[in-house]
Amino acid sequence: MSSVESHQEQLSQSDPSPSPNSCSSFELIDMDVGSSYEPVSSHWFYCKIIDSKEMWIPFNSDDSQQLEEAHGSGKDCNERVVPTEGGRYDVHLGERTRYAVYWDEPPSEVRRCTWFYKGDKDNKYVPYSESFSQVLEETYMLAVTLDEWKKKLESPNREIIVLHNPKLMVHYQPVAGSDEWGSTSTEQGRPRSVKRGVENIPVDIHCGEPLQIDHLVFVVHGIGPACDLRFRSIVQCVNDFRSVSLNLLQTHFKKAQENQQIGRVEFLPVNWHSPLHSTGVDIDLQRITLPSINRLRHFTNDTILDVFFYNSPTYCQTIVDTVASEMNRIYTLFLQRNPDFKGGVSIAGHSLGSLILFDILTNQKDSFGDIDSEKGSLRTVEDQGDVPTLEEDLKKLQLSEFFTVFEKEKVDKEALALCTERDLQEMGIPLGPRKKILNHFRTRKNSMGVNRPSTSASEVNVPKENGDYLDVGIGQVSVKYPRLNYKPEIFFAFGSPIGMFLTVRGLRRIDPNYKFPTCKGFFNIYHPFDPVAYRIEPMVVPEVDFEPMLIPHHKGRKRMHLELREGLTRMSMDLKNNLLGSLRMAWKSFTRAPYPALQASETAEETEAEPESSSEKSSEVNPEETPVEVKEERPINVGMLNGGQRIDYVLQEKPIESFNEYLFALQSHLCYWESEDTVLLVLKEIYQTQGIFLDQPLQ
């Protein structure tokens, strides 16, 4: 103790009270010097590693209050487990550790914080340990009670804290170094400000989330482990998506919240990339990867190859099993932790994740029985009505004489559709009738709900060892698609390549009567500059050219630059139409001049009729010059994939993005996590199923 006291005496001699000029580097607290002692209020923090740096983040006010109540509940408080952040994390008080509930994440340290000091570089305040904070509080209490200041304390890290007065408390970090005799230097580093109580530090403490959960949404990521330009994981991106939704509920569903009609929507991430790359495939790829451009090749193996993995039967099975089993596991765990949950479930996928969900949904069953639905896959969708028999088909082809041949060989329509030209030749069918029969069944097969080449191997049902048949569906690789333990209400696709993959698989058209067996809604949401996104509606209605639905801005109306662009376009069209009308009238006047023999009465009648005829012709000629809005006024039937509603929804680009669409292409594919317009559309469609609408409809 004597060495510490002598060291403190040296500090007191070498560190005089700071001058008024030196006080400007510290943040002062407005306190009455003669005030009586009041216990410090505590707040709970957790430590998060961001870019290899420790960041102490406060719990929201409700969670901190629950932790404080559990901490002071009694002797068994160390055995308490407190759910925080909407039930997504559990805090074990005894361990002072925070664990993720629904996904894998390293545990983080938890602290009950009362005293803080300013950090080195980012100027953010760092909490002292709980034990040393208690020492600081006791010293502060004595100083206030006895009015004796300039107290010095040494932290476990041999750092010096000086309590000059209630307004000024500093933290000195000794400069590392020693002389040749081994004695440490007494030179101190730059002093840092010390604060007592969380209310005296600049930190944002949010309110807690509503306890009531109205709806559950599973979010599946696309290729690679990173989901945005900041290389954040799906968990972090979904956290942003959830935060935006909570803010929009307060601004756009304020009446429903005040009437306690709604709580919140829970978004939970589903990760399939880590299980896929933990199968040992990365080791196999590393053996064959060239050593040059190492970072680019690593990025390719870890990200872009996920697309090829999904087109491989082996790894596609791993991916769909992981996605379905994870959603089923999380759903079961969610119901266990929220036994009062009565809401529905929806799913959302970004990029390749939307294609995975689309394939899983098309291979679901419409009931929980053992019989597959007739609408369970796009391949089986046919036109409604009476199906002609084989004899009637041959009669239409004027080939009735060959019906006895097929009847003798016990060949029905299904068997004939599988016959090749060689099979027909072996049955004795001549060349001409063979070509007619093959062309008829090829045309009929392409006129079904899914039009694709008749030679596609994906149309064949692959037999399994147990005797069951595996529905290959719409060109997916031969895998067995697992069943979900729930029926999703809505499927949201963000920046989705579903349309492109269906086309590459040979799918030309989606039957307007087709719908998912277990899901009622489908929204294809994309940014206009997204290079990965494709439309769906032209595959349902290929003969009609129409624009996608424009998603309203979350603040209402269109963005100003879009309105300006439309206004200029409309103005130029009006000027063009007026100019063409004037030129037509001038040309007609010029062509009538060489005929003076016309009677005056006829001329008068013509001049009266000309404005009407010119106006009629101007409305009939050049139909492409009419504004696009006229087309949008007509109702468009886009099929039952979204219950008769529109499917394609496009975001409005920002003004800066409209300058160069190529420059913002990659960013456009990753913009959905923080897009208020996207989140608001999701919330609007979810709550509409519950009869709850926006406070003010967006235009």
Side-chain angles (χ1 to χ4, degrees):
M1 291 294 295
S2 60
S3 60
V4 176
E5 292 176 357
S6 61
H7 183 60
Q8 293 179 352
E9 290 178 359
Q10 293 177 1
L11 286 175
S12 62
Q13 295 175 1
S14 60
D15 297 330
S17 299
S19 62
N21 294 331
S22 63
C23 290
S24 60
S25 62
F26 307 120
E27 299 181 16
L28 302 183
I29 309 175
D30 294 333
M31 297 176 59
D32 295 332
V33 178
S35 62
S36 60
Y37 170 77
E38 294 182 0
V40 64
S41 59
S42 60
H43 196 91
W44 291 75
F45 282 65
Y46 64 92
C47 182
K48 194 170 184 180
I49 306 299
I50 301 178
D51 296 333
S52 302
K53 297 180 181 179
E54 289 188 356
M55 299 286 294
W56 286 92
I57 302 175
F59 285 96
N60 62 61
S61 56
D62 293 345
D63 290 343
S64 180
Q65 183 178 357
Q66 288 186 4
L67 291 169
E68 187 66 20
E69 292 175 356
H71 173 71
S73 60
K75 296 181 179 179
D76 60 344
C77 65
N78 290 334
E79 300 178 0
R80 291 283 300 273
V81 177
V82 181
T84 59
E85 299 184 51
R88 297 181 297 273
Y89 289 90
D90 282 342
V91 173
H92 294 244
L93 280 182
E95 302 176 10
R96 290 293 195 269
T97 308
R98 168 178 169 267
Y99 294 94
V101 174
Y102 298 107
W103 55 82
D104 292 332
E105 182 179 313
S108 53
E109 181 185 355
V110 174
R111 258 183 216 178
R112 181 176 179 267
C113 304
T114 54
W115 285 76
F116 307 84
Y117 67 93
K118 186 174 288 188
D120 289 328
K121 299 178 181 179
D122 52 6
N123 289 330
K124 292 185 178 180
Y125 281 85
V126 180
Y128 288 105
S129 65
E130 293 187 35
S131 58
F132 188 67
S133 294
Q134 186 175 358
V135 175
L136 283 171
E137 183 64 20
E138 292 174 355
T139 306
Y140 178 85
M141 179 182 64
L142 290 175
V144 171
T145 305
L146 303 177
D147 196 18
E148 296 179 358
W149 294 97
K150 295 187 178 180
K151 299 286 186 180
K152 296 181 177 62
L153 296 91
E154 185 175 359
S155 70
N157 298 329
R158 303 191 63 82
E159 298 174 344
I160 304 301
I161 293 88
V162 182
L163 308 182
H164 290 284
N165 53 60
K167 294 184 178 180
L168 183 59
M169 296 173 284
V170 293
H171 175 118
Y172 291 96
Q173 185 176 13
V175 177
S178 60
D179 56 22
E180 59 183 1
W181 300 100
S183 59
T184 58
S185 173
T186 59
E187 182 183 358
Q188 306 297 321
R190 184 175 180 271
R192 307 177 194 173
S193 177
V194 175
K195 299 295 183 181
R196 176 179 178 267
V198 70
E199 64 275 5
N200 294 315
I201 64 173
V203 63
D204 294 329
I205 299 177
H206 302 283
C207 299
E209 302 176 7
L211 298 178
Q212 176 185 341
I213 300 177
D214 304 319
H215 204 85
L216 175 63
V217 181
F218 294 114
V219 185
V220 181
H221 65 86
I223 62 173
C227 297
D228 65 356
L229 292 177
R230 288 177 281 177
F231 298 97
R232 297 185 303 167
S233 65
I234 180 64
V235 174
Q236 294 171 304
C237 291
V238 173
N239 286 343
D240 279 352
F241 202 87
R242 188 187 305 108
S243 299
V244 174
S245 71
L246 293 174
N247 294 333
L248 290 175
L249 286 175
Q250 296 178 359
T251 56
H252 291 72
F253 294 87
K254 191 173 183 180
K255 294 181 180 178
Q257 278 196 336
E258 291 176 351
N259 298 331
Q260 297 182 349
Q261 292 178 305
I262 63 173
R264 63 183 176 92
V265 177
E266 180 63 280
F267 297 90
L268 296 179
V270 178
N271 181 14
W272 56 265
H273 180 271
S274 299
L276 170 66
H277 289 263
S278 63
T279 58
V281 64
D282 288 351
I283 300 176
D284 297 334
L285 285 173
Q286 190 62 33
R287 295 194 191 100
I288 60 176
T289 302
L290 301 182
S292 58
I293 51 174
N294 184 44
R295 293 185 179 180
L296 180 58
R297 296 187 190 277
H298 175 74
F299 173 78
T300 302
N301 292 346
D302 201 33
T303 303
I304 300 178
L305 286 189
D306 286 349
V307 179
F308 299 95
F309 283 138
Y310 189 66
N311 288 316
S312 164
T314 301
Y315 295 106
C316 180
Q317 187 70 65
T318 302
I319 293 174
V320 296
D321 286 346
T322 301
V323 172
S325 61
E326 272 294 288
M327 289 194 294
N328 288 337
R329 180 190 66 83
I330 296 174
Y331 179 67
T332 303
L333 181 59
F334 178 83
L335 292 182
Q336 292 175 357
R337 296 176 63 90
N338 301 273
D340 298 330
F341 176 72
K342 304 298 181 182
V345 182
S346 295
I347 55 178
H350 175 245
S351 189
L352 183 63
S354 63
L355 178 65
I356 298 171
L357 293 176
F358 184 87
D359 289 342
I360 292 176
L361 288 178
T362 55
N363 288 275
Q364 293 297 296
K365 300 177 182 179
D366 62 350
S367 65
F368 289 96
D370 296 328
I371 301 176
D372 288 342
S373 168
E374 293 182 357
K375 294 184 179 180
S377 71
L378 295 179
R379 186 183 60 81
T380 61
V381 179
E382 299 186 14
D383 294 335
Q384 302 295 325
D386 296 334
V387 179
T389 62
L390 176 59
E391 186 176 4
E392 293 174 349
D393 284 341
L394 293 175
K395 188 176 181 180
K396 290 180 181 179
L397 297 175
Q398 298 180 355
L399 299 174
S400 301
E401 64 270 19
F402 297 105
F403 177 71
T404 57
V405 178
F406 294 126
E407 190 177 18
K408 181 181 178 181
E409 296 289 340
K410 296 182 179 181
V411 175
D412 56 6
K413 291 187 65 174
E414 287 76 10
L416 186 56
L418 299 174
C419 289
T420 62
E421 186 173 0
R422 177 175 294 182
D423 297 331
L424 298 179
Q425 185 177 3
E426 291 177 354
M427 285 186 284
I429 308 297
L431 177 62
R434 287 203 308 265
K435 294 296 184 182
K436 285 185 178 180
I437 293 173
L438 291 174
N439 181 68
H440 171 73
F441 280 94
R442 181 184 300 112
T443 305
R444 181 180 176 277
K445 192 178 297 183
N446 287 341
S447 64
M448 294 168 65
V450 176
N451 292 334
R452 53 186 171 179
S454 61
T455 58
S456 174
S458 62
E459 296 178 13
V460 182
N461 285 338
V462 182
K464 303 296 287 186
E465 294 179 359
N466 58 5
D468 296 334
Y469 281 84
L470 179 64
D471 187 6
V472 179
I474 51 172
Q476 303 104 316
V477 293
S478 177
V479 298
K480 185 176 181 180
Y481 288 89
R483 300 231 351 231
L484 301 177
N485 294 340
Y486 53 89
K487 292 184 178 181
E489 294 188 1
I490 307 176
F491 169 36
F492 299 98
F494 306 140
S496 173
I498 292 175
M500 180 269 292
F501 270 87
L502 295 183
T503 304
V504 170
R505 290 171 178 174
L507 181 66
R508 297 177 182 173
R509 186 170 183 267
I510 299 176
D511 193 314
N513 295 322
Y514 175 76
K515 57 184 178 181
F516 292 123
T518 59
C519 185
K520 299 178 182 178
F522 175 37
F523 291 85
N524 182 37
I525 304 170
Y526 61 92
H527 190 283
F529 302 155
D530 190 338
V532 182
Y534 289 81
R535 292 191 63 184
I536 296 294
E537 290 174 342
M539 299 188 71
V540 182
V541 193
E543 63 275 2
V544 181
D545 185 16
F546 54 94
E547 296 294 325
M549 290 291 291
L550 186 67
I551 300 177
H553 192 260
H554 66 283
K555 294 184 178 179
R557 298 178 61 85
K558 293 182 180 179
R559 293 184 183 269
M560 184 178 297
H561 70 287
L562 295 179
E563 289 189 346
L564 179 61
R565 182 192 302 172
E566 289 185 358
L568 293 176
T569 303
R570 193 179 300 110
M571 184 184 302
S572 63
M573 293 299 298
D574 293 341
L575 291 175
K576 184 179 178 181
N577 292 334
N578 293 334
L579 179 61
L580 290 176
S582 301
L583 290 176
R584 289 193 194 97
M585 294 184 65
W587 176 255
K588 289 180 179 180
S589 301
F590 178 75
T591 54
R592 283 198 307 271
Y595 302 98
L598 293 175
Q599 298 180 0
S601 60
E602 295 177 352
T603 305
E605 291 176 358
E606 271 190 346
T607 54
E608 292 177 358
E610 277 173 2
E612 297 178 0
S613 62
S614 63
S615 62
E616 292 176 358
K617 290 182 180 179
S618 63
S619 62
E620 296 175 357
V621 180
N622 296 331
E624 69 276 1
E625 296 177 1
T626 57
V628 180
E629 288 76 11
V630 177
K631 295 183 180 180
E632 291 295 335
E633 292 178 357
R634 298 182 300 173
I636 301 174
N637 181 16
V638 292
M640 299 304 297
L641 197 57
N642 191 23
Q645 302 181 32
R646 295 293 301 273
I647 301 172
D648 294 335
Y649 287 79
V650 60
L651 293 167
Q652 303 180 38
E653 73 271 15
K654 298 178 181 178
I656 191 174
E657 294 174 343
S658 60
F659 288 108
N660 192 324
E661 57 189 37
Y662 293 95
L663 186 62
F664 294 94
L666 180 59
Q667 178 180 337
S668 300
H669 182 58
L670 306 173
C671 71
Y672 306 98
W673 308 116
E674 299 177 351
S675 170
E676 292 93 343
D677 301 345
T678 302
V679 179
L680 186 58
L681 176 62
V682 172
L683 294 176
K684 180 175 74 72
E685 296 300 330
I686 287 176
Y687 279 111
Q688 275 185 359
T689 61
Q690 303 177 14
I692 298 174
F693 303 92
L694 295 170
D695 292 343
Q696 294 181 353
L698 299 177
Q699 299 177 353

